Structure formats: C-alpha cells, structure tokens
Amino acid sequence: MKTSRKLSIIVAALHVAAAANLASFDFSSGTDAGLGGAILLSRPSASTLVSLPAGLFPEGMLTLEIGASRKYALKELDRAFVAAGYRYRLWTMAIGISQLGRGDLYVERTLKAGLARQVNSFAVGGTVSALFVSFGENYSRLDAATFGGTVSYAVSRVAAAVVADNLSSPRLSPSSPAFNPKYSLYVEAQGERWFSLAGRMTLEEDERPQFGLGQLVQLSEHGALSVGLSTAPMQYGAGLELNAADVSVWYCTSYHPVLGFTHSAAFSLEIGRARRDNYNGEK
C-alpha cells in the first residue's frame, strides 16, 4: 500500500473515530442504520439480542443472523458479524462476534454475549463483552473486557428498554483512556398493524447526547421500509426488508453530510416456530 494511500486512510479513520466511536464494545445490528440507531423491540433480530437480550422474543425460537457493512465508502473499515439468539421458557440468550477493519492496518474484533430472564411484563438481563484491537504485524494486540445490564418492559403496543454498557470502565492498556459507561434508552410504539415508531437516547460522560428516531412501515407480509435520523453525528438513514417464510433480508444505508454513505446488509433465519405473520408478532 502506498504511503499516501495509507496516510489518507488513517486520516479518514481518525475522522470516523471522532464521529462514530470507532473502537468500542458496541455490537451493531443489521437494521440500526435504517432506523436512526433505534431498534425494533417488538421483533428483535439476533444482533439486537446480543446487546439487548431483554428484548421481546418469542419462546422456543432460534434466530441466526449474518451481516456486513461498509462505512463511509472505506473498505478498510468494512464490518462483518455473525449472531445467534434463542429463548428457552423464561430465558433468552444470545452471542455474536464482529470484525471491523483489515489485517494489514487496523482490526477490531468484538465478542459479546447476553442472558436475560422474563418476569411478567419485564425482562432483566446482562451482557459480557470482549474487545481485541490490532494494528498490523509490527504491533502487539490490545484487549479489554467489560459487562453491562439491560431491562425492558412492554404493555399493549408500547415497549421500552434501558441498556447500560461498559460498567467497569475498561481500558485497552494501563495508559489508554477508559471506555466510559454508556446508557441508552430505547422506546417503540406500534401502530394498529402496519407501522411502528422507534426512538433512542444515548448518554455518555464527556460526549454529546445522541438521539435517534426511526419509523418502519410494513408494506405487506413480505416487505417493509424504514427511515431514520440520528444526531451526534447527524445522519440520515433508510432501509428495505424482504422476507419469505422464515428468512429475512435487510439492506440499509445512512448518509453523513461530510463522510458520505454507509451501506449494510443482513440475512436472518428463524427456526423453531412459525414466522411472525405481521409486524405486531401475532400468529
């Protein structure tokens, strides 16, 4: 790789890090880009359950998901992930692994797992995360681990969840800055049948509050559209879902006015019971 090309990538990565928390314990879902960073609590995917195992998930269902994204048209910042989630009686469990970057410059691997228990209309759980960062063959790998907690509540067509991450304030090395605890509130209000409105607020010490708003419109039982808006940084998003039987495919994109487009795609499979016939999860 030419020096000028490598320098331009490093400069771009620094801009991305400042705008989007490049190194982190976050586990992005396959749909958040199209919903302003909000999530669908009423129909969580496997990648959503990794960070929020206390989501509303049907008993007896196993869900598998693979996905990939390209941030700001930089292949050096490509991300790929694999995730799985399962609910057995009152217990929901999930695990996922993701990788960002390429081996000759920067690689960030995140391993995350979650477990939650349903208690009437509440679900309470926790997560454990490990982050491994490498900068090529000439530098030693850095790693850190932490834990978090989640709680969710649903009544009628309204659901809410609180997620706390990085509660141990981990560091990649003794001299590196600590990852501050991060607190997120997610809400979702479902329409009669064909749409849902989702929101997000994220708070972190020394960072501006982040807000996100997204809407999903179910076009039919085989397809849906989403739009979203998020702040800090300001980004606009949209997404398309196509599904048949137990399989769903999502394509989402978001746009940053300075850094450009991010594209993501995800494929998910549900096993163990009939796929939800409509957005509200009825059978």
Side-chain angles (χ1 to χ4, degrees):
M1 181 182 292
K2 295 182 179 179
T3 302
S4 59
R5 170 64 172 163
K6 184 177 293 187
L7 180 61
S8 67
I9 293 171
I10 293 174
V11 171
L14 290 175
H15 282 291
V16 173
N21 297 322
L22 181 60
S24 72
F25 292 85
D26 297 336
F27 198 96
S28 300
S29 79
T31 61
D32 58 1
L35 287 165
I39 59 177
L40 300 175
L41 294 169
S42 61
R43 46 181 292 190
S45 64
S47 55
T48 298
L49 291 171
V50 170
S51 299
L52 182 54
L56 311 176
F57 194 59
E59 182 183 351
M61 181 179 285
L62 169 67
T63 179
L64 307 172
E65 185 180 7
I66 59 174
S69 65
R70 173 162 293 183
K71 186 177 286 293
Y72 309 133
L74 286 171
K75 66 179 182 180
E76 288 79 12
L77 297 180
D78 285 354
R79 183 188 295 272
F81 71 85
V82 179
Y86 179 67
R87 179 174 172 184
Y88 176 73
R89 296 184 179 177
L90 299 179
W91 293 93
T92 300
M93 57 205 77
I95 188 169
I97 184 169
S98 70
Q99 175 174 308
L100 180 147
R102 303 261 176 139
D104 59 345
L105 182 62
Y106 178 88
V107 174
E108 176 185 312
R109 296 183 179 92
T110 303
L111 177 64
K112 195 163 190 173
L115 179 68
R117 189 180 191 278
Q118 194 78 27
V119 183
N120 298 321
S121 297
F122 287 92
V124 180
T127 61
V128 291
S129 309
L131 176 65
F132 309 92
V133 177
S134 59
F135 304 89
E137 298 179 354
N138 298 323
Y139 299 90
S140 299
R141 190 188 74 186
L142 303 176
D143 55 73
T146 189
F147 63 91
T150 69
V151 60
S152 66
Y153 177 76
V155 56
S156 185
R157 297 181 181 274
V158 177
V162 175
V163 178
D165 282 320
N166 307 340
L167 292 180
S168 63
S169 299
R171 299 175 183 268
L172 285 171
S173 70
S175 59
S176 67
F179 291 90
N180 293 322
K182 182 183 295 186
Y183 305 94
S184 297
L185 169 67
Y186 297 95
V187 294
E188 180 184 359
Q190 300 179 57
E192 287 296 324
R193 177 182 174 91
W194 298 108
F195 75 92
S196 182
L197 189 65
R200 171 184 63 95
M201 178 178 68
T202 299
L203 302 176
E204 183 179 356
E205 186 179 352
D206 299 326
E207 299 288 343
R208 289 184 296 166
Q210 295 179 322
F211 299 93
L213 185 66
Q215 181 169 349
L216 182 113
V217 178
Q218 195 80 26
L219 302 177
S220 73
E221 62 182 75
H222 298 298
L225 288 174
S226 68
V227 292
L229 172 69
S230 62
T231 67
M234 179 67 72
Q235 296 188 94
Y236 311 90
L240 171 66
E241 180 196 26
L242 299 175
N243 61 68
D246 301 325
V247 176
S248 294
V249 178
W250 272 95
Y251 165 75
C252 295
T253 184
S254 62
Y255 177 73
H256 187 286
V258 176
L259 299 175
F261 284 95
T262 293
H263 301 279
S264 63
F267 170 90
S268 64
L269 174 66
E270 295 179 345
I271 303 171
R273 61 184 293 171
R275 181 166 168 52
R276 285 159 278 198
D277 292 332
N278 61 51
Y279 177 58
N280 292 324
E282 298 171 5
K283 298 298 177 183

